[in-house]
Amino acid sequence: MLAQTRTEQELPWHVQPGEAVLDRLGVDPARGLDNNEATRRLMQFGPNELQDRGRKAPWLILWEQFTSTMVLILIAAAAVSAVLGKPLETAAISAIVVLFALLGFVQEYRAEQAMAALKKLSAPMVRVRRNGQEVQLPAQSLVPGDIVLLEAGNLVPADLRLIESVNLRLLEAALTGESEPVEKHSAPLANPALTLGDRTNMAYLGTQVAYGRGTGVVVATGMTTELGRIADLIQEVEQKPTPLQQQLDQVGKSLALGGAIVAGLVLLIGAVRGEPVSDMFLTAVSVAVAVVPEGLPAVVTVTLALGAQRMLRRRALIRKLPAVETLGSVTVICSDKTGTLTENRMTVTVIDVAGHYLELAGTGRHPTPTLVSGQPTVDLLKAQPPSVGLVLAGGALCNDASLTPDPRTGRYIPVGDPTEGALLVAATQAGLTRAALEAFAPRVAEVPFDSERKRMTSVHRLPQDAADWPPALAPLRTLGTTHVAFTKGAVDGLLDISSRVWDGNGAVPLDAHWRERIQVASDDLALKGMRVLGLALRPLPSAPPANGHDLERDLIFVGLIGMIDPPRPEVRQAIATCREAGIRPIMITGDHPLTARFIAYDLGITTDGRVKTGQDLDRMSPEELSAAVREVSVFARVTPEHKLRIVEALQRQNQVVAMTGDGVNDSPALRKADIGVAMGIAGTDVSKEAAQMVLLDDNFATIVAAVEEGRATYDNIRRFVKFSIAGNVGKVIVMLFAPLFGISVALLPLQLLWLNLLTDGLLGLGMGMEPADRRIMQRPPRAPGESLFSAGLRRHVLWVGTLIGSLALGIGAAFYHIGESEQRTWQTMIFTSLAFLQIGQALASRSTETSFLALGVRSNPTLLAMVVIVVALQLIAIYAPFLDEFFRVTPLNAAELALCVGLGGVVFAAIEIEKWLLRKRERTLH
């Protein structure tokens, strides 16, 4: 029976000869499958499409929003209020519960669309050989054994074993990370363990034909393709909560436990004192409301959203809000190479001619120039030997690519083979446009490139009566010939058919010394990760012979051209900044190890040049992999599974991992990482949907700016948590100890909700707008397991909360016992003093150590505006006649109001003194 999946007894498809593959799949390549057999196989294997497995239903997402700890506390409080006949309290608490649920539902529901993007990579229609005829079929109807015909521009519709290849080259960057089109052939390969990028007789779903044509037999469809395996990996990755979400959940559980204990104590004290049961239940509800920081989810969401807006202004689009905070805690950035650290375009970087080595842009020491339409940006020929211009001119003439101006930017975009495009760009930068060169030396014949010869030749007619020759072609004048043939291609192949070498002044014999020198120079460039081409020429006394292949003999070797996908100019500084901030960069790429090592060393990602390949990783145990990711910073020729294993190994070491990338092959690791960062311009839709953040400018340096904003956002959230919980501790103290002073219910649930709205809501929003500390990128990232209450926050919360509770309860008890026993007066004093106490607390809590005056009164105008609004709303609540019955308050006289304001000043001064003591201690330690 036909088996689509491989077993241990079966050799991989790329190792088997084409005839064996066809026999195994039971198909005649000349006829293809007949329709009946194709229908049977379609029923057996299913349609050729990616499946979306196990997505969460909307109703389940909504249900989960009502099961969080803080929401459950509020639901219980609302239920008790309803039982006690308190409709206002019930309605207010219920409204907050609904708001929480809707916020959470909207965030989660829009999160995952990666599968929809993956499906877009499937070709809609495909040319197939069925029943001995070529027909157009929907890609979904392909089955194993179908014979598929490929030509330039086609998307590969399934995984194919190639059985015919005519100059076929595929763009596989999205799947393997290889930035250059890969030459394909149909011969079997010897190594069963080759990575995808080295299986040169295979064509994979989602890649694209860049050049040539070919025929392949379908060996895998749908979810059994390599792209399908990536889809499976994406869907199998378990989404875990971010560090902040985990800590906030722990805070909620701790508060729930504390609230239950305090409520129980209140009921116990009331029972001992013989208080009415209804009053005690009302007090228990009030305690629950006091314990829960109702504004926490909303303020955290708003603070994250504000951080996301700041990041957007810096060209980073946040798709999932928790990623804002996670960025601030990143300890490792795993970056793909192609299109992320590099420009994703081949660029000529070196020209090596006899006695002269010219280093151009893109090697890391020089910025890559931008070629603007009609305007050469670099005079490459100035002060250079004539043979440099001859190499550039020959590369432009022996070339089938073209340059098209981008109407939006005016920059030239190479069209055609990227290698030929790079040659054309280099020549144009030197002022050598192909139009001008061909006008002087028109092409009259050619021998196209093929993968066996690995070279291309073009023949050009030279004018016999021209007075002015272009400087780049002037050396040809000394040859005294009517035609010239330029040949470019692999260096070793050119040396085999060359008999002379251009030494700068003319052609000299290509002896052993010259051959060794050229081979050493070529090997040196290859070791630097470059693709190396040679350029040679042959003078022809007349029109070319009928047999074009006879042209490729007795050549004059002119020079070497080294090219590479160069690093982005801004990345080196970005990586240096990351290191200063305590963040370790790691390169994970599907590209060649030599290229990866050169780019990584050039950018400062590695200093020892150590590289591990995918085959190395396959041989490693989990313990060995753990040691490797701790010591090695460059991983090459890796598959999506390898990327996942690396990310998981780092996470097991308690690292917070960011993964950047732009290809389909990056998507599983993007999803698994604590934060996935996709490229907005060059990135595939799949990578964007799998990521939490998208770089709109594809600029690695934008990550650094995003990390800074992430750290500032976390600081603001931590600042708010400190402020909110300290205030809530104070309210709980008031509610818990009030009965000891004869006060059965110190504050009503509605009053507590109002205070929490003013403080946790409005003041908390203002605290979320605090600017970043100046030294934020000079400190290391916080430890992955560090508590939200570390660095003295717990101590601060306890003493500030105790101070707030003591002052508010003290003023209330004083008014209760000095004759103001009318409930509304002493309750209004507690109600109003708590508002002003937390205003003073908010103003002093803008920084852990820096004083309020040193920060600047106007550095956070939002907080100042919120203070004004809170004061105004609190005054309206106690002085507006129509709100007396709603809040159960009474207007205060000027002295009473001044006393409440003064208490706020006491808290402000106390916190400022604490910060002064911390600064003094730090100066002593240093």
Side-chain angles (χ1 to χ4, degrees):
M1 184 178 186
L2 177 64
Q4 188 174 352
T5 57
R6 299 193 298 267
T7 66
E8 293 180 356
Q9 289 75 31
E10 294 172 336
L11 289 172
W13 298 111
H14 66 272
V15 176
Q16 300 181 55
E19 296 80 5
V21 172
L22 294 167
D23 288 343
R24 179 174 156 191
L25 293 171
V27 62
D28 177 0
R31 284 189 51 80
L33 298 174
D34 63 54
N35 290 334
N36 291 335
E37 177 63 15
T39 301
R40 187 190 69 78
R41 295 187 184 188
L42 186 63
M43 293 179 64
Q44 179 183 354
F45 297 113
N48 177 35
E49 60 185 11
L50 302 182
Q51 299 172 10
D52 199 347
R53 298 171 179 166
R55 296 186 68 181
K56 197 180 294 183
W59 67 265
L60 182 58
I61 296 174
L62 185 61
W63 167 254
E64 290 177 349
Q65 308 310 312
F66 290 98
T67 59
S68 68
T69 305
M70 285 190 285
V71 170
L72 288 174
I73 296 172
L74 289 176
I75 291 174
V80 173
S81 297
V83 170
L84 294 175
K86 302 289 182 181
L88 287 176
E89 285 84 350
T90 304
I93 297 172
S94 300
I96 291 174
V97 169
V98 171
L99 176 63
F100 287 0
L102 289 177
L103 282 172
F105 174 79
V106 170
Q107 284 299 314
E108 191 170 344
Y109 181 70
R110 61 181 293 273
E112 304 307 333
Q113 298 296 326
M115 284 306 304
L118 263 179
K119 290 179 179 179
K120 293 179 182 177
L121 291 176
S122 301
M125 299 295 290
V126 59
R127 286 172 61 215
V128 182
R129 195 172 288 151
R130 289 258 181 104
N131 294 317
Q133 297 180 338
E134 292 183 11
V135 294
Q136 292 270 351
L137 293 178
Q140 289 87 349
S141 64
L142 285 180
V143 296
D146 262 326
I147 304 298
V148 176
L149 309 177
L150 299 175
E151 59 186 15
N154 287 166
L155 281 174
V156 178
D159 284 2
L160 310 177
R161 169 64 164 87
L162 296 172
I163 56 175
E164 181 187 13
S165 173
V166 180
N167 300 328
L168 183 65
R169 280 179 268 179
L170 296 188
L171 288 167
E172 297 183 332
L175 189 64
T176 67
E178 175 65 60
S179 57
E180 192 177 349
V182 179
E183 293 181 12
K184 296 292 182 176
H185 59 80
S186 59
L189 301 169
N191 185 356
L194 289 176
T195 60
L196 295 184
D198 294 320
R199 298 177 189 177
T200 49
N201 58 8
M202 299 290 295
Y204 292 108
L205 172 64
T207 60
Q208 187 173 9
V209 180
Y211 189 84
R213 59 182 177 86
T215 304
V217 58
V218 175
V219 296
T221 59
M223 296 301 288
T224 60
T225 62
E226 293 297 332
L227 196 66
R229 292 173 60 208
I230 293 175
D232 258 339
L233 289 172
I234 289 175
Q235 296 180 96
E236 288 171 3
V237 171
E238 182 181 353
Q239 293 292 284
K240 64 179 184 179
T242 67
L244 177 65
Q245 288 172 322
Q246 292 171 343
Q247 293 179 29
L248 290 178
D249 184 61
Q250 187 59 45
V251 167
K253 291 176 180 176
S254 301
L255 290 175
L257 178 62
I261 293 173
V262 172
L265 288 173
V266 167
L267 289 172
L268 180 62
I269 293 170
V272 171
R273 289 170 51 86
E275 299 286 350
V277 175
S278 61
D279 284 353
M280 288 302 96
F281 268 107
L282 185 60
T283 304
V285 171
S286 300
V287 168
V289 172
V291 165
V292 177
E294 289 87 358
L296 181 58
V299 169
V300 167
T301 300
V302 170
T303 303
L304 292 173
L306 292 171
Q309 287 181 1
R310 292 195 297 269
M311 290 183 183
L312 185 59
R313 288 195 290 269
R314 301 177 81 166
R315 309 301 293 162
L317 172 66
I318 299 298
R319 293 189 64 253
K320 301 170 188 176
L321 280 183
V324 176
E325 174 273 332
T326 309
L327 267 170
S329 58
V330 162
T331 59
V332 177
I333 297 178
C334 295
S335 176
D336 186 39
K337 177 188 72 67
T338 306
T340 306
L341 298 171
T342 65
E343 297 182 1
N344 197 21
R345 62 183 181 91
M346 295 301 292
T347 303
V348 174
T349 56
V350 167
I351 296 177
D352 190 336
V353 296
H356 192 77
Y357 181 94
L358 176 62
E359 194 173 90
L360 306 179
T363 59
R365 288 171 287 275
H366 303 289
T368 303
T370 299
L371 182 58
V372 179
S373 177
Q375 180 183 351
T377 58
V378 181
D379 187 359
L380 297 177
L381 301 184
K382 188 175 183 180
Q384 301 298 334
S387 48
V388 170
L390 186 58
V391 168
L392 288 171
L397 288 169
C398 186
N399 197 311
D400 288 330
S402 61
L403 297 180
T404 301
D406 186 330
R408 295 173 301 168
T409 63
R411 298 178 180 180
Y412 275 117
I413 301 173
V415 177
D417 181 82
T419 299
E420 293 194 330
L423 294 172
L424 212 53
V425 168
T428 308
Q429 286 173 340
L432 303 174
T433 65
R434 192 169 73 176
L437 291 171
E438 288 189 336
F440 183 82
R443 185 187 298 192
V444 296
E446 64 181 280
V447 183
F449 175 91
D450 67 50
S451 55
E452 292 183 6
R453 293 167 31 254
K454 297 187 185 303
R455 56 181 175 265
M456 169 188 176
T457 297
S458 62
V459 180
H460 301 265
R461 184 175 62 249
L462 299 176
Q464 300 304 301
D465 53 357
D468 297 322
W469 282 54
L473 296 177
L476 300 178
R477 200 170 189 174
T478 62
L479 298 176
T481 185
T482 62
H483 294 76
V484 64
F486 285 108
T487 302
K488 73 173 192 303
V491 175
D492 51 355
L494 283 185
L495 288 176
D496 290 342
I497 57 176
S498 296
S499 58
R500 291 177 289 172
V501 61
W502 193 276
D503 72 348
N505 298 313
V508 298
L510 182 62
D511 56 20
H513 166 74
W514 276 108
R515 289 182 182 274
E516 181 182 5
R517 182 223 176 270
I518 293 170
Q519 194 62 59
V520 168
S522 175
D523 293 345
D524 182 60
L525 293 178
L527 285 173
K528 293 178 180 178
M530 299 185 194
R531 177 169 189 194
V532 186
L533 289 180
L535 184 94
L537 62 85
R538 179 186 174 192
L540 299 173
S542 60
N547 185 352
H549 287 281
D550 288 341
L551 294 171
E552 296 177 344
R553 59 183 177 81
D554 297 327
L555 303 185
I556 301 172
F557 194 92
V558 182
L560 301 172
I561 303 166
M563 58 184 68
I564 199 169
D565 179 13
R568 293 176 176 271
E570 66 278 354
V571 168
R572 183 179 288 98
Q573 180 57 48
I575 287 174
T577 304
C578 283
R579 290 194 178 279
E580 187 179 15
I583 300 169
R584 178 189 173 202
I586 295 177
M587 178 191 288
I588 305 177
T589 178
D591 213 340
H592 195 280
L594 291 176
T595 306
R597 174 163 47 202
F598 176 73
I599 296 293
Y601 188 84
D602 193 43
L603 291 174
I605 292 175
T606 181
T607 55
D608 58 13
R610 295 177 63 187
V611 180
K612 294 293 183 184
T613 66
Q615 293 188 30
D616 295 332
L617 299 183
D618 286 334
R619 294 189 291 266
M620 290 183 183
S621 66
E623 294 74 20
E624 292 170 331
L625 177 62
S626 180
V629 299
R630 189 179 293 112
E631 300 167 2
V632 178
S633 295
V634 184
F635 297 88
R637 279 289 189 249
V638 295
T639 65
E641 290 92 336
H642 294 140
K643 295 185 179 188
L644 266 181
R645 288 183 62 200
I646 293 169
V647 171
E648 289 168 346
L650 288 166
Q651 289 175 331
R652 285 195 296 270
Q653 297 172 8
N654 293 322
Q655 303 293 332
V656 178
V657 183
M659 169 72 187
T660 73
D662 59 359
V664 175
N665 60 324
D666 299 320
S667 301
L670 285 173
R671 191 177 175 94
K672 177 63 180 176
D674 296 285
I675 175 166
V677 184
M679 303 296 114
I681 298 174
T684 61
D685 286 346
V686 185
S687 65
K688 294 174 190 175
E689 295 296 345
Q692 289 87 14
M693 184 176 86
V694 179
L695 302 182
L696 298 181
D697 55 2
D698 286 13
N699 190 337
F700 187 90
T702 303
I703 298 176
V704 180
V707 167
E708 180 181 346
E709 292 294 348
R711 291 186 175 188
T713 298
Y714 178 79
D715 286 352
N716 285 344
I717 290 173
R718 191 168 182 269
R719 187 177 294 115
F720 168 73
V721 169
K722 177 175 71 173
F723 164 78
S724 176
I725 296 181
N728 285 9
V729 167
K731 293 163 192 168
V732 169
I733 287 173
V734 169
M735 300 303 299
L736 180 61
F737 292 103
L740 299 180
F741 295 90
I743 302 173
S744 57
V745 182
L747 288 172
L748 300 173
L750 200 58
Q751 293 171 337
L752 283 164
L753 282 172
W754 175 256
L755 286 173
N756 283 357
L757 170 66
L758 296 185
T759 57
D760 292 355
L762 298 177
L763 292 178
L765 178 62
M767 298 187 78
M769 297 292 289
E770 194 66 34
D773 182 81
R774 290 188 296 272
R775 297 177 297 172
I776 201 166
M777 291 301 285
Q778 276 75 55
R779 70 189 192 206
R782 68 181 188 276
E786 181 180 294
S787 168
L788 199 62
F789 292 93
S790 62
L793 190 144
R794 184 177 286 104
R795 182 187 66 249
H796 174 91
V797 162
L798 290 175
W799 82 257
V800 172
T802 301
L803 178 62
I804 290 173
S806 300
L807 291 173
L809 183 56
I811 197 71
F815 270 72
Y816 181 83
H817 287 289
I818 63 174
E820 296 287 351
S821 58
E822 203 280 323
Q823 179 177 351
R824 291 200 178 185
T825 303
W826 56 258
Q827 201 168 62
T828 304
M829 287 299 294
I830 296 175
F831 180 49
T832 306
S833 63
L834 278 171
F836 283 100
L837 282 164
Q838 287 210 258
I839 289 173
Q841 177 199 5
L843 292 173
S845 299
R846 292 176 56 196
S847 172
T848 304
E849 295 183 0
T850 308
S851 70
F852 177 79
L853 292 177
L855 288 171
V857 177
R858 293 180 294 179
S859 60
N860 188 351
T862 304
L863 178 59
L864 293 181
M866 291 302 164
V867 167
V868 172
I869 292 172
V870 167
V871 170
L873 289 174
Q874 183 64 20
L875 294 179
I876 290 171
I878 61 176
Y879 290 114
F882 57 90
L883 292 176
D884 284 357
E885 290 303 317
F886 185 79
F887 285 113
R888 306 287 180 86
V889 294
T890 188
L892 302 177
N893 60 41
E896 290 167 342
L897 180 63
L899 183 57
C900 294
V901 175
L903 291 178
V906 172
V907 171
F908 178 87
I911 296 175
E912 287 293 319
I913 291 171
E914 179 198 37
K915 293 193 289 186
W916 176 77
L917 292 173
L918 288 173
R919 292 195 301 272
K920 183 178 179 181
R921 186 179 67 178
E922 186 175 352
R923 286 195 297 269
T924 303
L925 291 175
H926 289 82

